[in-house]
């Protein structure tokens, strides 16, 4: 993982990261601040959800309603 307060998201998706292989350095597209290292799936998902926490919350609500 990156040094400092950044966390690998692998704790959230349970994938083991092989640095340099299918990993991405995640950053805020507004501030360019590095947030951490993501696997390809998490990086793609975050991009498709436009890094918008409101969209993410709506998706969570949708999944919870359908469960």
């Amino acid at each position: 993982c990156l040094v400092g307060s950044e966390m690998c998201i692998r704790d959230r998706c349970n994938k083991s990261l092989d640095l340099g292989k299918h990993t991405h350095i995640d950053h805020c597209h507004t501030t360019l601040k590095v947030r951490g290292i993501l696997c390809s799936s998490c990086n793609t998902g975050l991009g498709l959800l436009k890094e918008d926490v409101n969209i993410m919350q709506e998706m969570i609500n949708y999944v919870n309603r359908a469960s």
Side-chain angles (χ1 to χ4, degrees):
C1 288
L2 296 174
V3 177
S5 62
E6 295 88 358
M7 284 179 56
C8 284
I9 202 164
R10 72 170 165 232
D11 297 328
R12 287 160 176 73
C13 71
N14 294 320
K15 288 184 181 178
S16 178
L17 293 177
D18 181 6
L19 296 181
K21 209 172 198 189
H22 308 292
T23 58
H24 304 272
I25 297 175
D26 177 47
H27 65 281
C28 173
H29 287 228
T30 303
T31 65
L32 302 180
K33 181 181 176 185
V34 172
R35 296 185 284 221
I37 300 173
L38 301 177
C39 68
S40 291
S41 296
C42 288
N43 186 61
T44 299
L46 189 59
L48 290 172
L49 294 172
K50 302 178 184 169
E51 298 183 14
D52 186 321
V53 294
N54 294 318
I55 294 172
M56 292 177 206
Q57 188 59 57
E58 286 300 317
M59 294 301 294
I60 292 167
N61 294 343
Y62 169 79
V63 170
N64 285 335
R65 282 193 307 269
S67 297

